[in-house]
Amino acid sequence: MLENYIKIAWKVLLRRKFFTFVSLFGISFTIFVLLVATSILDHAVDPGRPQINQSRILVADRFMATDSARNSVWMSSPGFMLLNRYAKTLKTPELVSIHSGSNTYFTYMEGNKLNFTYKFTDDTFWQIYKFNFIKGKPFGKKDYNEAQHVAVITEYAARKYFYQTDVIGKFIEVDGTDYRVIGVVENVSKISSLIFSDIWVPATTSKDDIDNEFMGSFRLSVLAYSPDDFNEIRNEWHKHLRASVADLPENMVRLTTLKCVLKSNEEMIAELLIEPQENFDSKTTDQEQVVETAGISNYQLFYLVIAGVMLLFMLLPSINLVNINLSRMIERNSEIGVRKAFGATQKILVGQFITENIILTFIGGVISLIAAGITLSIINNSGIIMHAHLSLNFTVFIFGFITCVVLGFVSGVYPAFRMSKLHPVEALRGGSK
Amino acid sequence: MIKHLFKLIWNRKRSTSLLMIEVFLSFLVLFGVLAVFYYNYSFYTEPTGFEYKNIWNVELNWNTESDELVREKLIQLDLSLKNFSEIEYHSFCSRFSRPYSSGMWSTGLTNEREQKISTVFNLADDNFTKVLGQKVVEGRWFNDEDIAAALNPVVINDALRNEYFGENVSAVGKKIIDKNDKGDVVETYMVVGVIDHYKYRGEFEKEYPLLVQRLSLRDTSIDAGWNNNTMLLRVKPGTGVAFEEKLVKYIVDLTKGWKVKVDPVEQLRESQITEKANSILVSSSIAFFLILNVALGLMGVIWYSVNRRKSEIGLRRAIGATGKKISVQIIGEAVVLGTFAIIIGIVFAMQVPILSIMDTTVGIILTAIFSASTLIYLLITICSLYPSILASKIQPIEALHDE
Amino acid sequence: MIKLENIDKVYRTKTVETLALQNVSINVGKGEFVSVMGPSGSGKSTLLNIMGLLDEPTKGVVSVEGNIIKAYRDKEIAKMRNRMIGFVFQSYHLIRDLSVLDNVQIPLLYRNMPSKERKQLAHKALDRVGLSARKEHFPSQLSGGQSQRVAIARAIIGNPEIILADEPTGNLDSTMGNEILDILIDLNKNESTTIIMVTHDERMADKSERIIRFFDGCQVN
Ligand SMILES: Nc1ncnc2c1ncn2[C@@H]1O[C@H](COP(=O)(O)OP(=O)(O)OP(=O)(O)O)[C@@H](O)[C@H]1O
Ligand SMILES: [Mg+2]
């Protein structure tokens, strides 16, 4: 049966080449756009190395303090002092790391202006995030505690600054201070903005007064033993945050609500696209300090929104395909009539036409896969997204497969029903061959 | 003729309704892309009010230092920059006053007619216009006369003058009063001048009513920090990275370890425009392919229906219709169908200003509707042109054998 | 074999109501060769469609091999058509995208038969109509008579009890027409297949055992 379907499908496709071209064009283009979009999304959700522990990591990057009596809000990232005193002491996670946001600086070399990004981190950072070391090693606890001026740099930074990667022991200027290079790592994709950088140095070498910063520019990454521990970790962090009130700077003691949420990777990405609703609880007025640590967990909504957008995007091409299919169906009246007269049920006919359409979609899918592969490698090489390594991995491939089926199905069902509903007497009337 | 076309379309309503939905959706896509484009373009064409060539933005960052020390160093810097022949003028301002700044500081001002005007506040010194070249249309920019002024001297832009005092009413010498929610006076400003434009956040930003306060490095009431950590330089044409390096070294030495970041304003502008252009490019090329897809499909469907109706068309020819008449009929049918789709589309598109989904003027929406409709008509005509030519070539005999 | 009792068929459109068949009762026995004649528009095709279960009568009872068709449920009707009835149409209705061999196999497709067996039966059916040499041809490469022979091969491949032929020779010249008729007669004689044929040609009708005449939707005897 299937063999017969394929035979017919192939013949039908070859017969009206213009239509086949239009159909394939629409299908390939649609799936192509969706493939590129998913591969970027997938790269963000599951970037692989260095974030291979992704599923066990929780991150806090925002800090919010509200003074509900005065209706004023402070928003920033948590400060070093807050995290160092109250997060480093967390018992439930396997590892805790504090690292800063991106800082950029310029340096001048032989009449050229070089632009680098650097981050302040600690020793555990390298244990949570598994960077690929090309040369040397990361800085350890001793380097960190003694505030050694040592740096880990990327291959990219090494080539830009030293014109080579064999640079262990050489000195690099980071924002006005010289650091000794002790490790060279593979480049990190800019999509992983949390850890993306050219250079990493121990936070203890910062010239800023970070030891007194309650709010500042640091982020917290914790590695749980297992994702099941997330709630326990959040609860412990909640307690610690409550205790941190003791260290609030003077101008902030009035603050009634502190919020610093530990988020999973999915929640982080969801936040980029859907701003979380920040509700202030105004019932807590009498100097009571309320601490919030619960996750937003609206990332299900996020996936829904993404799926919705994709379906919406598929709507126009689908209708176009339906129209083309409906047009094509008229010349197959006689075929439908004959099949019905010789015993095909409606169900069989629907099956046949949907199969035909899905075959067509899959041809389009293959074309789009090739086009997407080329486009992604262009994106990777062009540096639009720095150091990105977008690829058509298994997830993206499966997604492409599913979209093919959905598109083939959606655009095939209605015409197939119209076709199969055709009255055999009607279909056989008119003397076409 | 028109009635005849309506009849044809009505009798085939089942197959045409889907085509109509398709054209309708295409209209919405075109409308959306064009509206966003016109929206940005309308801002782009409005003057920013400042020059961007040969101007450098210098951001200074100091660690925890006392305000006095910072102020002392800034004054020293201010005086010493005059010695560089490469620098024509330099000016200090707040971080939220420089060109292409990402931040914004705004407050609501209430005028005498009790209208609330959301106003952007800038903070800049006496040399600001010399560097950026804003045009003063009334009064003057800040100068030494303002040093001991009794009321806080301010320069405002045209937009604020029009909203606060009324269209084309002279503002110089008048007061602007800043009250809080309870109606208490927080601050009283004295307008000393009016500039025409200063869209400091760049080309793609709306021009907000603007109030510029005077920055003086010696003023101890201004906290050191983002209020005075930005410096703008007008350099001699052709000054390059070599001088930049020299200058950065000089400032670092002078200030004993401040961090200095230099960005030519032209580069800031370029990167902002590139970013905007890229996003428009991506969305419009996706829209283009969607529409192309639809266009090809439409052409196919029309061509098909011509093929199917060969006998009908042959008959019309036999009865005496000219080839041209047949062409007009085929195109006419498509245009009538498109008109229905566009009418539905316009009903939807009009919801944008009605529900104020986008912060736009009705003019932009109407332009977008108009051009989207034109494009759809163009598209439909082009798509039906080729099939209609084929149809006009059908011979009367073909009515007889119906293949 | 096929029995029609008091069949009415009314076509309703917005403006007119056509009574295509009016109180028609026919009983065709096993192995009979029946011709149906009558002027154009008298309801012959309508009758054949109803006999072939392609269409539902407005009133009356149809029974095939003693089974009364009560509900025209797609699945059961399709199965009956598939097992018991073979159709031959005036304008052949071959599927132009399939080769002769594939076209002939169509009824067997809906019987879940392995493809090898299908092919064997197709070869046999084509031999039967004398077209073994044209198996890989496509319908567009065949003459009218050849096309109709393929259509007959398709109709007989499933070994149906009944063949319904609506003007099978209508598009053919008389020699070709006679060839086709001979095949049908041969089937009727040797396989005792019931054959019901619509024709406008008295000489052809004369070769059958019984002639049913129609006028304006009514049977005239
Ligand atoms: N789908 C339909 N809708 C309305 N009327 C119909 C329909 N099909 C057939 N008729 C009418 O039913 C009557 C019988 O038609 P039928 O096709 O059975 O005639 P016929 O005897 O086969 O004629 P011919 O010899 O020309 O093939 C005709 O008057 C025709 O107009
Ligand atoms: Mg007939």
Side-chain angles (χ1 to χ4, degrees), chain A residues 60-77:
Chain A
D61 62 342
R62 293 193 193 187
F63 176 84
M64 192 171 75
T66 316
D67 176 356
S68 44
R70 294 186 120 213
N71 229 343
S72 61
V73 183
W74 306 57
M75 260 196 286
S76 79
S77 292

Side-chain angles (χ1 to χ4, degrees), chain B residues 37-52 100 157-159 196-209 269 272-273 359-361 364:
Chain B
F37 178 79
Y38 287 139
Y39 179 72
N40 283 310
Y41 187 74
S42 73
F43 291 142
Y44 183 76
T45 49
E46 279 169 20
T48 55
F50 64 89
E51 291 160 24
Y52 57 86
Y100 304 103
N157 71 349
D158 227 17
D196 57 354
H197 302 287
Y198 183 46
K199 283 203 303 187
Y200 70 106
R201 301 228 298 168
E203 277 80 357
F204 297 105
E205 187 80 6
K206 183 178 154 184
E207 174 136 41
Y208 294 100
R269 176 177 185 267
Q272 196 192 56
I273 290 180
D359 169 33
T360 50
T361 54
I364 287 174

Side-chain angles (χ1 to χ4, degrees), chain B residues 206-227:
Chain B
K206 183 178 154 184
E207 174 136 41
Y208 294 100
L210 173 77
L211 181 146
V212 189
Q213 286 179 270
R214 180 169 182 265
L215 171 70
S216 162
L217 296 178
R218 290 185 170 78
D219 187 345
T220 49
S221 70
I222 294 172
D223 293 338
W226 55 262
N227 280 324

Side-chain angles (χ1 to χ4, degrees), chain A residues 1 4 7-8 11-12 15 334-335 338-346 348 423-425 428 431-433, chain C residues 49 54-55 74-75 78 81-82 86-87 89 91 93-98 102 107 109-110 138-139 154-155:
Chain A
M1 195 71 110
N4 207 273
K7 214 183 245 174
I8 276 274
K11 288 284 165 49
V12 169
R15 189 164 68 218
S334 154
E335 178 188 336
V338 167
R339 286 182 188 274
K340 284 202 152 185
F342 285 103
T345 58
Q346 272 181 31
I348 290 177
H423 200 285
V425 177
L428 289 168
S432 72
K433 255 192 171 175
Chain C
N49 289 338
L54 289 176
D55 213 349
D74 180 52
K75 210 170 162 183
R81 286 200 292 253
N82 185 256
F87 292 90
F89 309 100
S91 45
H93 285 300
L94 301 178
I95 298 176
R96 64 191 234 186
D97 295 317
L98 292 178
D102 288 328
L109 278 183
Y110 306 116
F138 278 84
R154 179 176 64 187

Side-chain angles (χ1 to χ4, degrees), chain A residues 425-426 429, chain C residues 9-13 16-21 37-49 55 90 166-167 198-200 214 216-217:
Chain A
V425 177
E426 271 335 290
R429 202 196 305 280
Chain C
K9 178 72 190 177
V10 183
Y11 287 113
R12 285 194 183 85
T13 55
V16 286
E17 217 173 73
T18 319
L19 196 56
L21 290 177
M37 296 200 72
S40 185
S42 57
K44 305 181 298 290
S45 298
T46 310
L47 175 82
L48 232 64
N49 289 338
D55 213 349
Q90 177 178 357
D166 193 348
E167 300 187 46
V198 174
T199 180
H200 282 288
F214 270 83
D216 224 1

Side-chain angles (χ1 to χ4, degrees), chain A residues 128-364:
Chain A
I128 295 181
Y129 299 108
K130 301 286 189 193
F131 285 75
N132 215 355
F133 275 82
I134 298 170
K135 296 260 155 58
K137 54 174 182 42
F139 44 82
K141 206 167 192 68
K142 194 160 168 285
D143 298 317
Y144 179 75
N145 288 341
E146 291 173 1
Q148 294 290 336
H149 281 68
V150 289
V152 172
I153 67 175
T154 59
E155 200 185 340
Y156 167 81
R159 288 195 196 284
K160 223 161 93 171
Y161 197 89
F162 299 108
Y163 307 108
Q164 55 160 324
T165 55
D166 207 7
V167 296
I168 302 300
K170 297 198 166 155
F171 284 87
I172 185 167
E173 185 230 306
V174 181
D175 220 358
T177 311
D178 282 345
Y179 282 78
R180 186 164 48 85
V181 178
I182 59 164
V184 179
V185 292
E186 235 172 47
N187 297 333
V188 190
S189 168
K190 185 127 197 195
I191 283 187
S192 313
S193 61
L194 187 74
I195 57 164
F196 167 83
S197 190
D198 299 317
I199 298 163
W200 296 264
V201 298
T204 42
T205 62
S206 169
K207 279 184 276 182
D208 290 331
D209 186 22
I210 55 173
D211 278 325
N212 287 313
E213 269 181 3
F214 199 83
M215 295 196 282
S217 65
F218 277 82
R219 283 105 174 97
L220 167 66
S221 289
V222 304
L223 181 70
Y225 289 104
S226 124
D228 302 335
D229 297 346
F230 280 180
N231 273 336
E232 204 182 326
I233 294 171
R234 284 187 174 126
N235 286 338
E236 196 194 359
W237 172 229
H238 186 113
K239 278 192 208 112
H240 285 216
L241 202 56
R242 192 182 274 276
S244 76
V245 165
D247 277 332
L248 270 179
E250 244 163 68
N251 61 338
M252 286 169 68
V253 278
R254 284 186 326 268
L255 297 173
T256 50
T257 310
L258 303 187
K259 191 169 169 181
C260 184
V261 180
L262 274 172
K263 291 165 288 193
S264 68
N265 180 49
E266 276 144 330
E267 287 166 336
M268 292 275 285
I269 293 163
E271 234 179 44
L272 290 179
L273 295 160
I274 314 168
E275 268 303 305
Q277 288 290 316
E278 314 268 20
N279 347 320
F280 305 112
D281 233 336
S282 49
K283 62 177 188 278
T284 51
T285 39
D286 342 327
Q287 297 291 310
E288 186 199 347
Q289 311 282 357
V290 173
V291 180
E292 282 187 49
T293 47
I296 327 105
S297 63
N298 57 357
Y299 65 91
Q300 280 104 338
L301 177 70
F302 158 75
Y303 281 120
L304 246 125
V305 169
I306 294 279
V309 168
M310 287 186 167
L311 280 178
L312 214 63
F313 176 72
M314 278 161 77
L315 185 65
L316 197 50
S318 297
I319 295 181
N320 198 36
L321 281 178
V322 167
N323 274 327
I324 293 171
N325 284 340
L326 282 177
S327 283
R328 281 190 122 147
M329 140 185 153
I330 287 140
E331 73 175 357
R332 297 176 69 180
N333 271 0
S334 154
E335 178 188 336
I336 297 161
V338 167
R339 286 182 188 274
K340 284 202 152 185
F342 285 103
T345 58
Q346 272 181 31
K347 225 166 95 188
I348 290 177
L349 285 179
V350 169
Q352 178 187 340
F353 294 126
I354 290 181
T355 313
E356 277 181 21
N357 207 46
I358 287 181
I359 289 171
L360 183 69
T361 342
F362 270 93
I363 299 174

